[in-house]
Amino acid sequence: EPEVTQTPSHQVTQMGQEVILRCVPISNHLYFYWYRQILGQKVEFLVSFYNNEISEKSEIFDDQFSVERPDGSNFTLKIRSTKLEDSAMYFCASSEGTGAAETQYFGPGTRLLVL
Amino acid sequence: AQSVTQLDSQVPVFEEAPVELRCNYSSSVSVYLFWYVQYPNQGLQLLLKYLSGSTLVKGINGFEAEFNKSQTSFHLRKPSVHISDTAEYFCVARGSARQLTFGSGTQLTVLP
């Protein structure tokens, strides 16, 4: 069964450094998403991406974040200058784009720790 | 905007006993509701979803949920749990936008 994959599974970085989290969505899916879960808090929506542009974003998704689909398979989340509060589990998801009945399929997550 | 409340952060239950995980939502517009499960070291997997129609929704692994509009609830149930059902369960809502709104999660622990 096709699945969403994410790399790396864990990343440790120093505050102020740039990180890139990578995702490979399911191949025929058209919408891509990033969510995050800070330890002890709810899973929160960050951004959705369709047709090579952002379709929705939350208040969390400020100028330090960016997303990109650099090729036909990868979908990346870049955090330009990491802060301690960016430590979280980051989930990538994808969906077919068929409408309300569709399911978002999630990857296993990348645990980011900012020191 | 939607909000989702999961009333129990942890639910311990003995194997073969029934279980109910509670979820309430609030929304001023039509809402679609989902339950996702996360097994240790795995991604979020869809258990079931309610879009419209019958209020009783059946999902994978013997789970079912009932949509109750008057009580704004979408509780998840299973008549007999197994050790392998130990996981975290998330109640999730979606409105007209694509973003999902998650509850805080319920850790179900099935005891032998």
Side-chain angles (χ1 to χ4, degrees):
Chain A
E1 183 176 330
E3 59 183 18
V4 177
T5 59
Q6 291 184 242
T7 54
S9 57
H10 294 78
Q11 181 149 3
V12 181
T13 190
Q14 295 291 323
M15 188 171 56
Q17 294 296 304
E18 174 183 286
V19 296
I20 297 177
L21 309 183
R22 291 182 168 78
C23 168
V24 179
I26 294 172
S27 62
N28 64 336
H29 285 187
L30 301 179
Y31 277 86
F32 315 115
Y33 312 84
W34 284 101
Y35 293 81
R36 78 173 185 189
Q37 185 179 28
I38 295 171
L39 190 63
Q41 299 185 23
K42 293 184 178 185
V43 177
E44 304 170 290
F45 168 79
L46 293 179
V47 66
S48 63
F49 191 84
Y50 170 74
N51 199 25
N52 282 320
E53 59 183 32
I54 291 172
S55 58
E56 300 167 18
K57 63 180 182 178
S58 70
E59 296 172 350
I60 304 167
F61 194 86
D62 60 22
D63 291 344
Q64 70 159 341
F65 292 96
S66 62
V67 289
E68 189 179 29
R69 188 155 165 81
D71 52 43
S73 59
N74 289 284
F75 178 53
T76 62
L77 174 69
K78 181 190 290 186
I79 309 175
R80 288 191 183 81
S81 177
T82 50
K83 305 171 187 171
L84 296 176
E85 55 265 35
D86 293 327
S87 294
M89 178 73 89
Y90 288 81
F91 293 104
C92 175
S94 69
S95 66
E96 292 178 322
T98 52
E102 66 176 21
T103 296
Q104 292 184 20
Y105 293 86
F106 284 79
T110 293
R111 186 171 296 282
L112 175 66
L113 178 61
V114 182
L115 301 176
Chain B
Q2 298 90 27
S3 69
V4 178
T5 302
Q6 291 183 244
L7 299 163
D8 306 296
S9 60
Q10 300 200 36
V11 173
V13 63
F14 287 106
E15 195 173 16
E16 297 183 6
V19 70
E20 178 179 83
L21 306 184
R22 297 180 293 168
C23 172
N24 287 95
Y25 68 93
S26 66
S27 174
S28 59
V29 297
S30 296
V31 64
Y32 308 106
L33 296 165
F34 308 80
W35 276 96
Y36 279 83
V37 60
Q38 186 178 27
Y39 299 103
N41 301 314
Q42 294 186 31
L44 296 157
Q45 179 183 1
L46 181 71
L47 270 181
L48 48 79
K49 58 185 176 184
Y50 172 79
L51 304 176
S52 64
S54 173
T55 57
L56 184 63
V57 181
K58 294 190 182 296
I60 62 171
N61 301 338
F63 284 93
E64 62 182 33
E66 185 157 17
F67 173 70
N68 188 319
K69 188 173 183 179
S70 63
Q71 297 185 5
T72 60
S73 67
F74 190 55
H75 300 332
L76 181 70
R77 301 185 182 103
K78 186 169 182 178
S80 176
V81 294
H82 302 123
I83 297 285
S84 59
D85 292 323
T86 294
E88 185 144 25
Y89 292 79
F90 293 93
C91 183
V92 180
R94 176 189 156 179
S96 56
R98 289 181 177 276
Q99 61 180 274
L100 301 180
T101 300
F102 282 74
S104 53
T106 298
Q107 175 63 44
L108 173 65
T109 301
V110 181
L111 306 167

